[in-house]
Amino acid sequence: MFGRGDLARKGRRSPDGDRLIATYLIRRADAARDAHNWEQAALLYEEALSLVPARADIHVQLGHMRKEAGAYEAAELAYNSALELIPDNADLALNMGHLYKRAGRIDDARSAYQRALRLSPGWAAAEQELAGLPTDAAANDEDTEEDSPILPTNAAITPKDVATALNMAAKSASLIPSLAPRRPYELVQEHGERLELRWMGRHEHGFWGNMRTLRGVEAVRGFCISAVPVEEAQMLLNGVTFYRGPVRGGYPIYDEARADGPLKFVFNIWYDFSALPLGRHALELRLIDVEGGSRSFHDAVVIAPPLAEIEYPDSDALVQVTESNPERLERKIRARPTMVRPAKRTLFPEDPKAILVLRTDQLGDMVASIPAMQRLRALYPHARYVGLMTAANADIAQSLSLFDEIIVVDFPDDKRERRRLMTLDHQAALRERLKPYRFDMAIDLAQASVSRDLLRLSGAPFLYGVDGGGFGWLDGAFGLHTRDRLNHLDRVPHSRKTLALVETLAAISRDSFEVIRRPDLTRGELTRFGIEEADRYAVLHMGARVEFSRWPGFPELARLLLDQSDLKIVMMTEDPAVRPSLPPSLLASPHFQLLDERLPFDDFDRLVSFATVLVGNDSGPKHLAALRGTNVVTLHTARINWMEWGQEGIGAIMSRRVPCAGCAIFHDAEECGKDFACIRDIRPHEVLEAVRAYAPLSHERAQ
């Protein structure tokens, strides 16, 4: 067998070669599809489409896979790509109806099925689907254990019955049935056996194509649903086992219908792949059960050199530790110091100095981009602007004085392939021509996706353009679509959408944080909480809606602050179990107060607004404190990015670098597999030092 990289190494890149490689990828995708491995099949179909983008049938297959995986928006994008190629295909219209029906978009489903019938009159399948769609009244059925027909079925229908039915239908037409509670039997299902990989490397474009890439320390995380207990996870490279380790579980599945149903077994493997040979390999993740049975995930991967933490200082997902033994590797990672970063942050450390702007299409597109370009120049007035243009746009761009320099590129619209093309030789030449400019940012103003890939030739560290699926490598992606309700096309001029692209860049790159204090709150009313006018005090807020994001070190931090400062401590929680868990010496201190019930908002706001410092979890109170101008130290889990959800403007954000950062676990805490080390490993003395920056500590408390 061969892969795309094998042919590339032999220099056999040609249209025929691409088609040959695509055929091989499609065969692999078909096999993954037949095995119900939807995600793997989708990735392989996407890889094939990068070589044969005019294959409408493969766009359709990609849509099927995304639909089966529950990624409805991605499925719609794939189907729409097929629709551009085969606009009069009735089968495609039928499948789009299936997608919309599954997604609960009943009106869109009805339109799609009707379109299928117009394209293929009398088609029984489309007629049956149309007939089976629920009406608004039926979808908003009474929330009872038994179905209640609108009209009686065993008696004569009276005018009153008809009036009642019409009234109910009119009422439900203005409501949203999908938001109503489901019935108990709709909340459970019977789970089949499956292995689900949640994270392993990242897909990167490179020498080998668009491949899953492993660099240095990575997390291999996921779970297996099995009726037979699973006891071991193994990883194999080219058939050779290089890792063995235990799994956790089995955990009950919250929506499993059967009392004796399968259980969930979790793995979160931290492994240093830099010890393995670089290059393209076949990797297998294999789970072994107590009866010796196995289930596996297979993929072709690229092992690449590790990245350096210094290059990505804001990311918690990059851990630069070298250790081949997984147990020692985990100990090393968990022993590392916690990251402490200032809450005040911007998208760019400093304004871009060199910006590449793409408008590689036609004259009308360039005219529509003029307001956007004017806004961009006003946004970064001192930058050098280079326009990458086709010949159709170059002259008007030159006449507008919007660019310091214009580069004309040959990027023709090929009628046979129905897309713009650039040979590999021309791509290499363009990359070399752009390299000396050392662009800080490259932006594609086109709403269509035809030129988006050219951004990757710019060498800029920040690539920005319109999102549209398949551009996961963009550093910033913009999406806006206003809808004509009848034909679903845009309602606003192209120029305004292009301007919105730049306005969004302005919004995300500028710090708009502002302190807003309440003049109606006075400090004097804090005396009933034991806080006098001259007291400095710290609020320790223990709560968070996501329970596993709560830091367990607050009692020890309170003890350290009482020992080493003159701060009074106000600890807040709504959990009644906290009080009996605290040391008696802490509760007995006259400088400590536990508030373990919900306060009226004004009291809560007052305590937060006048605090010397607030220490809290990733929760609403830390945002409120920053809004009021209070110094904040946030203890942030790595499940979501501190850059996105940390407070703005004031204080510090503490988080830990772990390979599985970005897990986005919300409901299913058992899927962590590492006991939420990203929050639990923050040490009280580290938080004490962070607090010291905002509330200098004295070693002797005034008596």
Side-chain angles (χ1 to χ4, degrees):
M1 300 298 288
F2 57 86
R4 184 177 179 183
D6 298 317
L7 293 184
R9 287 199 306 275
K10 296 174 184 177
R12 293 172 56 192
R13 297 306 305 275
S14 67
D16 289 340
D18 281 352
R19 283 191 289 272
L20 184 63
I21 299 169
T23 300
Y24 166 66
L25 291 169
I26 292 167
R27 283 204 302 266
R28 288 183 58 200
D30 291 343
R33 175 201 62 199
D34 295 342
H36 292 187
N37 192 340
W38 314 124
E39 185 63 29
Q40 175 66 8
L43 293 173
L44 288 165
Y45 284 132
E46 282 184 338
E47 183 75 4
L49 284 169
S50 70
L51 298 169
V52 286
R55 285 282 301 271
D57 59 323
I58 305 305
H59 285 288
V60 171
Q61 287 297 323
L62 175 60
H64 293 344
M65 297 306 98
R66 291 304 190 199
K67 177 183 70 176
E68 293 300 329
Y72 297 147
E73 291 184 6
E76 185 179 23
L77 289 170
Y79 284 149
N80 281 332
S81 296
L83 190 62
E84 293 179 4
L85 299 169
I86 47 173
D88 298 324
N89 188 282
D91 188 65
L92 174 58
L94 185 75
N95 278 292
M96 294 184 77
H98 296 338
L99 168 67
Y100 295 137
K101 182 174 72 171
R102 183 179 292 193
R105 294 165 56 180
I106 302 303
D107 288 341
D108 289 335
R110 182 173 291 106
S111 297
Y113 290 139
Q114 289 170 342
R115 187 168 181 275
L117 272 177
R118 287 197 300 272
L119 294 170
S120 181
W123 190 9
E127 289 177 341
Q128 291 170 3
E129 291 292 347
L130 264 177
L133 287 178
T135 64
D136 285 341
N140 194 47
D141 199 0
E142 291 286 337
D143 184 22
T144 60
E145 289 297 317
E146 298 181 359
D147 291 336
S148 302
I150 293 178
L151 294 176
T153 56
N154 298 321
I157 299 176
T158 68
K160 182 179 179 181
D161 294 328
V162 174
T164 300
L166 291 175
N167 182 56
M168 292 176 64
K171 179 181 178 182
S172 65
S174 62
L175 303 179
I176 308 171
S178 61
L179 296 180
R182 289 177 289 172
R183 295 166 179 162
Y185 67 84
E186 296 177 306
L187 297 175
V188 295
Q189 60 178 308
E190 293 187 5
H191 289 82
E193 302 245 345
R194 80 175 193 270
L195 169 58
E196 184 158 327
L197 185 69
R198 288 298 179 90
W199 189 264
M200 183 172 72
R202 303 157 192 82
H203 276 80
E204 297 183 13
H205 292 269
F207 173 81
W208 305 97
N210 183 13
M211 297 280 294
R212 187 188 298 272
T213 304
L214 303 168
R215 295 180 178 273
V217 177
E218 297 276 9
V220 179
R221 191 180 72 80
F223 61 84
C224 176
I225 292 179
S226 174
V228 180
V230 175
E231 61 179 358
E232 184 178 76
Q234 301 176 359
M235 288 194 291
L236 298 83
L237 198 69
N238 304 322
V240 178
T241 302
F242 66 90
Y243 169 85
R244 295 177 186 270
V247 301
R248 294 191 178 192
Y251 302 105
I253 304 170
Y254 82 98
D255 60 346
E256 171 57 46
R258 296 163 293 176
D260 60 346
L263 300 174
K264 181 187 290 186
F265 299 86
V266 173
F267 55 90
N268 187 354
I269 304 164
W270 294 354
Y271 194 85
D272 184 5
F273 285 89
S274 64
L276 300 177
L278 301 181
R280 187 179 188 274
H281 303 278
L283 188 141
E284 176 185 357
L285 171 67
R286 181 185 298 170
L287 296 186
I288 309 297
D289 64 38
V290 295
E291 296 178 357
S294 67
R295 59 280 289 150
S296 293
F297 170 87
H298 296 265
D299 199 7
V301 302
V302 172
I303 297 178
L307 301 173
E309 287 183 3
I310 194 172
E311 298 292 330
Y312 301 88
D314 294 333
S315 177
D316 284 338
L318 179 57
V319 183
Q320 196 173 8
V321 176
T322 302
E323 175 57 67
S324 59
N325 182 288
E327 291 184 2
R328 289 198 295 268
L329 175 70
E330 181 169 337
R331 287 197 295 270
K332 281 187 174 181
I333 292 172
R334 299 187 68 165
R336 299 184 76 200
T338 298
M339 303 300 298
V340 183
R341 301 180 176 96
K344 189 175 180 61
R345 56 200 183 275
T346 58
L347 185 63
F348 304 119
E350 55 185 31
D351 282 353
K353 295 181 175 62
I355 299 175
L356 179 68
V357 180
L358 274 62
R359 196 74 256 195
T360 54
D361 30 39
Q362 300 304 119
L363 176 63
D365 302 298
M366 183 63 213
V367 172
S369 297
I370 292 173
M373 268 305 307
Q374 291 171 328
R375 178 69 178 107
L376 187 62
R377 289 209 67 118
L379 183 60
Y380 303 115
H382 303 298
R384 178 177 179 80
Y385 289 87
V386 177
L388 188 65
M389 307 282 171
T390 55
N393 289 336
D395 290 339
I396 185 174
Q398 191 71 55
S399 71
L400 294 168
S401 301
L402 291 173
F403 298 94
D404 299 292
E405 187 174 345
I406 293 173
I407 297 174
V408 179
V409 64
D410 186 22
F411 193 41
D413 197 346
D414 187 271
K415 292 184 178 179
R416 182 181 178 188
E417 295 203 28
R418 301 185 179 186
R419 63 190 180 108
R420 290 186 179 271
L421 301 174
M422 183 179 293
T423 66
L424 295 178
D425 289 344
H426 286 174
Q427 290 181 41
L430 179 59
R431 181 186 290 277
E432 289 303 310
R433 185 174 181 185
L434 297 177
K435 187 181 297 183
Y437 291 94
R438 302 176 64 86
F439 292 112
D440 300 299
M441 176 170 64
I443 176 172
D444 183 9
L445 295 179
Q447 294 291 317
S449 62
V450 292
S451 54
R452 204 79 72 250
D453 281 315
L454 288 180
L455 289 171
R456 292 159 54 197
L457 301 176
S458 69
F462 188 82
L463 307 179
Y464 183 59
V466 174
D467 199 8
F471 302 113
W473 44 266
L474 285 172
D475 300 287
F478 169 81
L480 171 67
H481 187 58
T482 59
R483 296 185 188 277
D484 180 314
R485 289 202 173 189
L486 298 182
N487 63 23
H488 299 287
L489 299 180
D490 258 306
R491 299 180 59 194
V492 301
H494 186 93
S495 62
R496 296 182 198 171
K497 289 186 67 177
T498 310
L499 177 60
L501 170 72
V502 176
E503 290 290 3
T504 301
L505 177 65
I508 64 176
S509 62
R510 296 299 196 210
D511 181 7
S512 59
F513 173 78
E514 179 183 357
V515 171
I516 302 176
R517 297 190 68 89
R518 288 179 57 183
D520 60 315
L521 294 181
T522 60
R523 184 184 170 102
E525 295 182 57
L526 291 177
T527 54
R528 53 198 176 91
F529 296 104
I531 306 296
E532 303 300 332
E533 187 68 31
D535 288 340
R536 298 192 315 154
Y537 67 97
V539 171
L540 308 186
H541 194 278
M542 302 178 69
R545 181 167 62 102
V546 181
E547 185 173 347
F548 49 77
S549 68
R550 299 172 188 168
W551 183 56
F554 281 107
E556 176 61 14
L557 176 63
R559 185 191 66 79
L560 291 172
L561 287 170
L562 289 174
D563 287 347
Q564 301 188 32
S565 79
D566 61 357
L567 291 171
K568 287 188 173 181
I569 307 299
V570 178
M571 183 178 285
M572 291 185 177
T573 179
E574 294 179 17
D575 184 356
V578 168
R579 185 176 295 274
S581 72
L582 295 178
S585 59
L586 193 62
L587 292 169
S589 171
H591 302 285
F592 176 86
Q593 183 171 185
L594 175 67
L595 302 178
D596 53 359
E597 60 183 6
R598 181 182 288 270
L599 298 174
F601 179 74
D602 283 354
D603 286 342
F604 177 75
D605 199 357
R606 185 176 288 106
L607 282 163
V608 165
S609 297
F610 294 103
T612 306
V613 63
L614 179 141
V615 183
N617 299 306
D618 175 30
S619 188
K622 60 99 178 282
H623 293 291
L624 175 63
L627 180 71
R628 299 305 188 214
T630 300
N631 293 311
V632 179
V633 175
T634 298
L635 312 169
H636 208 283
T637 63
R639 56 179 287 272
I640 53 178
N641 268 0
W642 69 270
M643 294 172 284
E644 179 184 11
W645 278 112
Q647 82 276 7
E648 295 186 67
I650 292 178
I653 301 166
M654 304 185 68
S655 62
R656 294 192 60 80
R657 289 183 181 265
V658 290
C660 51
C663 67
I665 292 173
F666 187 76
H667 293 292
D668 302 310
E670 73 278 0
E671 291 183 12
C672 170
K674 293 295 184 187
D675 299 318
F676 294 97
C678 61
I679 185 70
R680 292 181 174 274
D681 284 354
I682 297 176
R683 301 164 185 89
H685 73 269
E686 294 177 312
V687 183
L688 180 73
E689 289 305 309
V691 170
R692 194 186 300 273
Y694 307 105
L697 309 180
S698 61
H699 290 280
E700 294 185 8
R701 177 176 295 280
Q703 299 299 319

